[in-house]
Amino acid sequence: MPAPEKNLLMIIVGGDALALNTARELCQLRDRRIVVLWPADAEFAHAVEGVGAEFAAGRPDSRDGLETAGIADAVTILALSRDDQLNLQAALRARDANPNIRIVLRQFNRTLAAKIEQNLADCSVLSLAWHSAATYAAVALDPSCFRGLQFPEPDGPLTGFAMRLAEGDRVAGRTVAEAEHALGARIIAIDRDTEVAGDERIASGARLVVYGTLDRLLASAPRQPQPEDLPSAARRLHRWMHRSHWRLRRLDPYIIGFVAAVLALFALGTWYFHSSFGGDWLTAAYFVLSTMTTTGFGDIAPDHNQPLDLWITMMLMLLGTVFTGLFIVFAAARLTRGQWVRMQGLRPIHRRGHIVVCGSGSIGTGVTDLLLDFDKPLVVVEQSPDAALVERARDRGFDLLTGDASRDDTLDLCNLGAAHSLIALTNVDTLNLEIALGARARNPSMPIVLRIAEATFADSIARHFDFKMTFSVAALAGPVFAGLSRLAGARGHIEFGGRDFSIVALDLSEEVEAQLPPGAIVLAVGEDDGEFKLIRDFAGLGRGARVLVLVPLKSFRREGEGTLATVQERAYGA
């Protein structure tokens, strides 16, 4: 009997949720041995063992640490720590120790990532911000979208997978080919059935999964319910009540108390002198007002034979002077605060149908860049914007608010009642949740997209707070890094129709076409001039064309002809 094939060793460098999620993905593959290399950490080591991987304690950038993990026998090293320099050092030391090892790098800098990938053989480099930004941007534009990516190039058109309901003459009752032409999107599933033929007719009410560019998906996206959908009279009443509610909430309680005291004093004084003068109410009100403002003309005077009248008149003069002084103080403070707020970059937003992006870190910047290509007004809220962001806001024409998005005052300025959607992208999960809850209180029907770091926590938030569009960066990127460990064109995976699919970009060849497993779905091609085109098969395509394909995930978990590993080996010689 032949000896069983030795398990392929893959080493992961990292100590966070991304490394753990990638290890979990890789451990699902057959004939793989996964080792996570990181400085000693008992809690993290226990989590690593819990997903089926091995933990090796050591410094990833040292030869000793790499040897402890078994670098000489490894086929791939995935350097996924938060430190770009550490990742590169570990990868280069690994290549020194094992010249044939494949390198997968996590890098923050997209420009540097592209240059490393171009100049280092058998290496794939992924910017986490670039990869996850596509999904956040796509979902914010079209809430029925559940995954976004750029294809064929990292800076190519923003595309996405979305849900549609077969209704209307354009889709219901038409063949799949006719409906695809009308939608400008590729239909890849009908009522959970992924075996979709071009001549198949679509029943009314069928649930579709479609893929296409975001500009075409937006043309067929379900309309979100807005207050504007109400009848005109009800709409005006809704707007007035909404504005009144938040204006009252913004009022200073000291100002409310001041106004109430002035009105009460004026009312009591008018009531008393109406009785004392025995005249009409207007004359009494005139006397009280002129006395309180110390602008009396002497045409009306209190009865000097009535001591109480004189005492009340003096009291009105004294309190009127005090109130006048307080009014000047409040007015000056209000004007000063308004000027200060504007100097800090805060101002009321009067746009409608805008997208609010809270947080402008690496992912927020990527999302902003993608959204600016679409005809949607953009409002970015950042507590500490740098000079580059301020300059981009001025050059690209989007609104930049300098403030804490979790504060009620800041959210009130964003005009959320008329917003298209909001994306919470700060680096703190609880802060993102606080922003989302505050936004929901102001506009319950507005789509809210949440960034949460850890996948389990993201699922818990989505379940308990009913935020459907909650995405974990680690969950989005983990499958991509797992795929890149053996295949340069891996783009992650998606789930629909009760099945899991890997998203793969491949250079078309006869070997690739012949070795794609059953159930693979061809989506699109990036032509030589960079043009994006939807396709149903490989007919008419030249060899070397960049194609996007969905491959059933189960093909990763078996060996032999027709597996993705075989496709990759023949396409890339790995």
Side-chain angles (χ1 to χ4, degrees):
M1 277 182 68
E5 184 180 350
K6 186 178 179 180
N7 289 346
L8 297 176
L9 172 61
M10 296 182 176
I11 299 174
I12 298 175
V13 172
D16 60 5
L18 176 60
L20 193 64
N21 200 71
T22 305
R24 180 184 295 108
E25 292 287 335
L26 287 172
C27 285
Q28 296 177 13
L29 305 178
R30 292 182 181 176
D31 301 322
R32 298 293 189 272
R33 177 183 165 220
I34 311 303
V35 175
V36 178
L37 174 61
W38 197 244
D41 183 334
E43 184 177 355
F44 183 64
H46 180 71
V48 168
E49 293 168 358
V51 301
E54 302 174 27
F55 181 79
R59 287 179 49 198
D61 56 346
S62 71
R63 186 67 175 262
D64 291 342
L66 291 170
E67 289 179 351
T68 300
I71 193 65
D73 299 322
V75 296
T76 306
I77 182 169
L78 300 95
L80 310 181
S81 78
R82 299 175 185 271
D83 187 335
D84 283 5
Q85 182 173 328
L86 175 63
N87 290 338
L88 188 55
Q89 287 178 336
L92 295 180
R93 287 186 181 276
R95 180 62 61 83
D96 289 337
N98 183 348
N100 297 319
I101 197 169
R102 174 167 171 75
I103 294 174
V104 178
L105 279 179
R106 169 187 181 179
Q107 288 285 299
F108 169 81
N109 189 321
R110 285 181 60 180
T111 304
L112 177 61
K115 292 178 179 179
I116 292 175
E117 195 169 60
Q118 291 170 359
N119 291 276
L120 191 61
D122 198 16
C123 174
S124 292
V125 188
L126 183 68
S127 167
L128 208 61
W130 160 73
H131 174 74
S132 56
T135 293
Y136 291 117
V139 177
L141 288 164
D142 179 1
S144 68
C145 191
F146 57 93
R147 183 63 188 272
L149 60 93
Q150 289 178 269
F151 178 81
E153 301 299 332
D155 57 351
L158 180 61
T159 67
F161 298 85
M163 307 296 296
R164 291 290 181 268
L165 190 64
E167 54 187 4
D169 296 337
R170 290 200 309 167
V171 178
R174 299 294 185 103
T175 65
V176 170
E178 292 171 342
E180 287 180 341
H181 179 74
L183 294 174
R186 177 85 161 79
I187 298 175
I188 56 179
I190 302 176
D191 286 335
R192 300 174 62 86
D193 182 11
T194 58
E195 301 293 333
V196 179
D199 57 355
E200 180 181 347
R201 292 204 172 269
I202 303 174
S204 178
R207 296 185 178 275
L208 314 178
V209 178
V210 301
Y211 169 78
T213 57
L214 256 294
D215 56 349
R216 295 305 302 269
L217 290 179
L218 288 174
S220 62
R223 186 185 177 194
Q224 296 297 316
Q226 298 290 340
E228 288 75 3
D229 294 331
L230 301 171
S232 58
R235 181 167 65 248
R236 288 194 296 269
L237 177 61
H238 180 276
R239 289 176 180 171
W240 179 82
M241 292 178 63
H242 185 270
R243 286 197 298 267
S244 300
H245 171 71
W246 290 111
R247 284 175 180 170
L248 286 174
R249 284 198 58 176
R250 288 199 296 267
L251 286 177
D252 191 320
Y254 293 104
I255 295 179
I256 296 176
F258 169 77
V259 173
V262 171
L263 293 177
L265 181 64
F266 177 78
L268 290 173
T270 301
W271 171 79
Y272 175 81
F273 282 103
H274 169 262
S275 176
S276 177
F277 291 160
D280 59 276
W281 286 98
L282 184 60
T283 300
Y286 169 77
F287 171 75
V288 171
L289 183 61
S290 61
T291 301
M292 289 180 64
T293 57
T294 64
T295 57
F297 297 101
D299 51 347
I300 303 177
D303 187 351
H304 287 249
N305 295 320
Q306 296 291 334
L308 184 59
D309 284 13
L310 295 177
W311 278 107
I312 293 178
T313 301
M314 289 188 294
M315 188 63 65
L316 288 174
M317 291 178 182
L318 178 61
L319 293 178
T321 302
V322 172
F323 285 143
T324 300
L326 290 175
F327 172 77
I328 294 174
V329 170
F330 282 133
R334 198 73 175 178
L335 291 173
T336 302
R337 183 178 183 276
Q339 183 182 15
W340 180 85
V341 164
R342 286 188 173 273
M343 289 176 61
Q344 295 300 308
L346 289 171
R347 62 198 179 280
I349 299 299
H350 301 291
R351 296 180 182 270
R352 303 188 67 81
H354 53 289
I355 298 176
V356 181
V357 180
C358 300
S360 188
S362 57
I363 296 178
T365 299
V367 170
T368 300
D369 288 340
L370 291 172
L371 292 177
L372 287 172
D373 293 334
F374 295 85
D375 188 23
K376 288 286 184 185
L378 191 62
V379 177
V380 177
V381 183
E382 172 59 41
Q383 189 167 8
S384 302
D386 56 21
L389 179 60
V390 174
E391 184 177 353
R392 286 175 61 241
R394 182 172 60 248
D395 294 342
R396 300 297 300 272
F398 62 85
D399 291 304
L400 175 62
L401 300 187
T402 305
D404 183 354
S406 65
R407 293 177 58 87
D408 287 341
D409 290 346
T410 305
L411 289 177
D412 290 341
L413 295 172
C414 295
N415 193 21
L416 295 181
H420 176 272
S421 58
L422 177 141
I423 321 173
L425 294 174
T426 73
N427 294 324
V428 182
D429 290 352
T430 52
L431 184 60
N432 288 334
L433 178 59
E434 186 176 0
I435 293 170
L437 293 174
R440 173 185 281 175
R442 288 157 177 79
N443 186 348
S445 64
M446 177 181 63
I448 298 173
V449 186
L450 271 176
R451 168 196 174 184
I452 300 297
E454 205 276 321
T456 304
F457 189 36
D459 292 339
S460 297
I461 288 178
R463 183 171 61 255
H464 293 290
F465 293 96
D466 196 29
F467 285 117
K468 304 299 184 184
M469 293 173 288
T470 302
F471 297 93
S472 160
V473 176
L476 288 173
V480 184
F481 284 113
L484 289 174
S485 67
R486 295 294 288 164
L487 180 62
R491 296 291 189 91
H493 79 252
I494 57 173
E495 302 176 12
F496 62 87
R499 302 175 66 185
D500 294 348
F501 291 87
S502 293
I503 309 171
V504 185
L506 294 168
D507 292 334
L508 185 61
S509 65
E510 292 182 2
E511 290 80 5
V512 167
E513 186 174 356
Q515 293 300 324
L516 281 177
I521 303 173
V522 182
L523 296 177
V525 61
E527 300 183 337
D528 293 338
D529 56 1
E531 182 181 354
F532 174 92
K533 181 181 178 182
L534 294 170
I535 56 175
R536 295 191 61 84
D537 51 44
F538 298 129
L541 298 183
R543 298 311 174 195
R546 192 71 167 168
V547 293
L548 190 68
V549 183
L550 295 182
V551 179
L553 193 58
K554 64 181 181 180
S555 61
F556 280 106
R557 299 168 183 167
R558 66 185 184 213
E559 295 185 11
E561 293 297 316
T563 66
L564 189 64
T566 305
V567 173
Q568 176 251 324
E569 288 166 3
R570 298 198 180 190
Y572 295 94

